[in-house]
């Protein structure tokens, strides 16, 4: 279940349970799709301007949808074979069915948005062409650089980052593609980190019939207790406890060393406390260090961990190149990325037209 900030802010929650806005809205949209009410909407006034959106995750889809309805000609460029970004490749199907993502992309396609997949705009030649041929370019490539797991993994087989693992799982399950990244089947799986992505890795490993799953959490248990002193569990921890009898989390722990066999295959890890745990698959869900440098370099935009812009703006140092989503604000929630995309569309529209009615 995604965060429902509207429910957290509901005044009814001061006295009783908040209104279930999240569930109500979901019921309404599912009814609309199920009864053929979600039909393409077309604008009657084309602006004559064209926009390239680089990346088809939540921020890219949001900015493309807004600008298309404004009358601009929008092309979304995606490096992977399927559109949707993290919605397709990073969020497991049990949380977000791929049919839900695809039906929205299909609707946007029917409304006139062009999707070009399998094209990496980090290629300098492609970036130059896009910059030359489009009135505005929007970089919505996410925060793809993973934060180091803090231990030397050189030559070790069986160590992967969370997004690699989740991406490979989606490719196998839905698109029939094999991967060099192994499944968790029959393996002792250890996941470093906490948060939504770590939980998604736990749940995916369970569905792949892992031999065991352990989640190493750097901070102490007391940091996660609620007001009543209880330790909350999300869906993945509940599933793991049901499967193996214990909560998979080990608090105040991190990896100190890795042990491999003669072929370099990971067989166990040693924790900072000195405990040795069997491990055939180590997954780093340690967060993200920032956006890809190659895309920024290809378009000539300045960056630190994220793309540099003036405060409150989405425009980069290259006047007709903009950015939005995690690439702009850093790793965050899907709802924030969507909000970023919609806000960026306002600024881009004003840049293109001299005014905007996307308010």
């Amino acid at each position: 279940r995604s965060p429902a900030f509207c429910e957290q802010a509901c005044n009814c929650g001061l006295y009783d349970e908040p209104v279930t806005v999240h569930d109500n809205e979901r019921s309404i949209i599912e009814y609309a799709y199920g009864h053929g009410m979600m039909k393409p909407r077309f604008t009657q006034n084309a602006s004559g301007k064209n926009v390239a959106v680089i990346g088809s995750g939540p921020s890219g889809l949001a900015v493309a949808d807004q600008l298309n309805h404004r009358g601009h000609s929008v092309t979304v460029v995606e490096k992977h074979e399927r559109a949707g970004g993290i919605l397709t490749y990073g969020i497991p199907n049990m949380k977000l069915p791929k049919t839900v993502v695809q039906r929205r992309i299909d609707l946007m396609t029917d409304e006139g948005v062009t999707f070009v997949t399998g094209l990496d705009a980090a290629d300098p030649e492609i970036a130059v062409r896009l910059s030359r041929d489009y009135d505005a370019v929007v970089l919505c490539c996410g925060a793809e650089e993973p934060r180091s797991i803090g231990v030397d993994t050189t030559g070790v087989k069986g160590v992967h980052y969370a997004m690699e693992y989740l991406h490979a799982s989606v490719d196998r399950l839905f698109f029939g593609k094999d991967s060099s990244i192994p499944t968790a089947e029959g393996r002792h799986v250890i996941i470093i980190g906490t948060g939504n992505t770590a939980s998604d890795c736990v749940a995916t490993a369970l569905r792949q019939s892992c031999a065991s799953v352990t989640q190493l959490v750097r901070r102490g248990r007391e940091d996660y207790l609620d007001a009543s002193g209880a330790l909350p569990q999300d869906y993945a921890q509940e599933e793991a406890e049901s499967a193996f009898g214990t909560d998979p989390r080990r608090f105040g722990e991190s990896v100190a060393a890795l042990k491999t066999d003669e072929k370099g295959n990971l067989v166990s890890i040693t924790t900072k406390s000195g405990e040795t745990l069997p491990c055939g698959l180590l997954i780093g869900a340690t967060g993200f260090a920032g956006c890809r440098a190659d895309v920024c370099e290809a378009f000539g935009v300045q960056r630190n961990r994220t793309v540099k812009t003036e405060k409150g703006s989405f425009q980069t140092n290259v006047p007709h190149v903009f950015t939005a989503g995690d690439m702009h604000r850093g790793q965050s929630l899907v709802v924030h990325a969507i909000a970023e995309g919609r806000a960026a569309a306002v600024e881009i529209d004003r840049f293109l037209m001299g005014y905007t009615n996307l308010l």
Side-chain angles (χ1 to χ4, degrees), residues 98-144:
K98 305 313 163 194
T99 53
V100 171
V101 181
Q102 190 59 49
R103 73 184 182 188
R104 187 67 187 189
I105 292 170
D106 291 343
L107 180 64
M108 291 177 65
T109 301
D110 291 342
E111 292 177 336
V113 176
T114 299
F115 288 87
V116 179
T117 58
L119 187 68
D120 192 347
D123 183 325
E125 293 184 4
I126 294 173
V128 167
R129 189 169 77 244
L130 292 171
S131 292
R132 180 192 65 215
D133 295 345
Y134 287 84
D135 297 304
V137 176
V138 197
L139 304 181
C140 300
C141 304
E144 293 191 313

Side-chain angles (χ1 to χ4, degrees), residues 197-209:
T197 302
S199 292
D200 291 343
C201 290
V202 170
T204 300
L206 290 169
R207 283 159 176 78
Q208 292 179 346
S209 301

Side-chain angles (χ1 to χ4, degrees), residues 26-332:
R26 179 175 179 179
S27 176
I28 291 168
I29 194 61
E30 290 299 331
Y31 181 91
Y33 271 107
H35 290 77
M37 300 169 67
M38 288 296 291
K39 301 182 182 298
R41 295 183 294 124
F42 304 101
T43 180
Q44 301 301 315
N45 301 307
S47 69
K49 305 290 186 179
N50 58 3
V51 181
V53 179
I54 314 303
S56 62
S59 63
L61 294 179
V63 70
D65 188 54
Q66 290 289 95
L67 293 177
N68 178 60
H69 286 145
R70 178 68 170 92
H72 306 309
S73 176
V74 181
T75 299
V76 179
V77 177
E78 170 57 52
K79 67 176 180 177
H80 296 304
E81 293 183 18
R82 307 273 178 158
I86 194 172
L87 303 174
T88 296
Y89 289 104
I91 301 177
N93 197 65
M94 59 273 191
K95 289 179 68 176
L96 179 62
K98 305 313 163 194
T99 53
V100 171
V101 181
Q102 190 59 49
R103 73 184 182 188
R104 187 67 187 189
I105 292 170
D106 291 343
L107 180 64
M108 291 177 65
T109 301
D110 291 342
E111 292 177 336
V113 176
T114 299
F115 288 87
V116 179
T117 58
L119 187 68
D120 192 347
D123 183 325
E125 293 184 4
I126 294 173
V128 167
R129 189 169 77 244
L130 292 171
S131 292
R132 180 192 65 215
D133 295 345
Y134 287 84
D135 297 304
V137 176
V138 197
L139 304 181
C140 300
C141 304
E144 293 191 313
E145 291 297 325
R147 187 176 292 118
S148 171
I149 64 173
V151 64
D152 185 13
T153 62
T154 305
V156 180
K157 301 174 184 177
V159 181
H160 299 281
Y161 285 102
M163 284 301 154
E164 297 174 331
Y165 172 66
L166 294 172
H167 189 135
S169 174
V170 170
D171 269 343
R172 284 193 185 91
L173 190 59
F174 296 100
F175 306 140
K177 294 182 63 179
D178 200 4
S179 173
S180 60
I181 298 174
T183 73
E185 183 177 5
R187 300 175 187 269
H188 295 286
V189 179
I190 293 179
I191 296 159
I192 306 171
T194 187
N196 294 330
T197 302
S199 292
D200 291 343
C201 290
V202 170
T204 300
L206 290 169
R207 283 159 176 78
Q208 292 179 346
S209 301
C210 60
S212 69
V213 61
T214 303
Q215 191 176 348
L216 301 184
V217 182
R218 179 176 56 83
R219 290 158 55 191
R221 185 177 185 275
E222 62 279 1
D223 290 343
Y224 296 90
L225 302 179
D226 62 20
S228 67
L231 179 65
Q233 290 183 322
D234 66 12
Y235 81 105
Q237 281 118 34
E238 290 175 352
E239 290 179 356
E241 185 165 347
S242 176
F244 297 113
T246 60
D247 191 302
R249 291 171 290 183
R250 290 179 180 236
F251 295 97
E253 281 286 20
S254 58
V255 178
L258 310 178
K259 183 179 179 181
T260 62
D261 63 16
E262 63 278 2
K263 295 182 180 179
N265 298 307
L266 182 66
V267 294
S268 66
I269 66 105
T270 303
T271 68
K272 287 288 177 67
S273 65
E275 185 177 8
T276 298
L277 302 174
C279 180
L281 180 60
L282 179 65
I283 301 172
T286 47
F288 300 90
C291 61
R292 289 172 59 190
D294 54 0
V295 177
C296 298
E297 291 167 359
F299 284 92
V301 302
Q302 298 172 349
R303 66 180 283 274
N304 288 322
R305 292 182 62 227
T306 56
V307 175
K308 288 184 178 181
T309 64
E310 294 293 331
K311 185 176 181 180
S313 172
F314 299 89
Q315 190 174 41
T316 71
N317 58 292
V318 181
H320 73 296
V321 179
F322 297 78
T323 187
D326 289 2
M327 197 171 192
H328 178 237
R329 67 173 290 154
Q331 176 192 1
S332 190

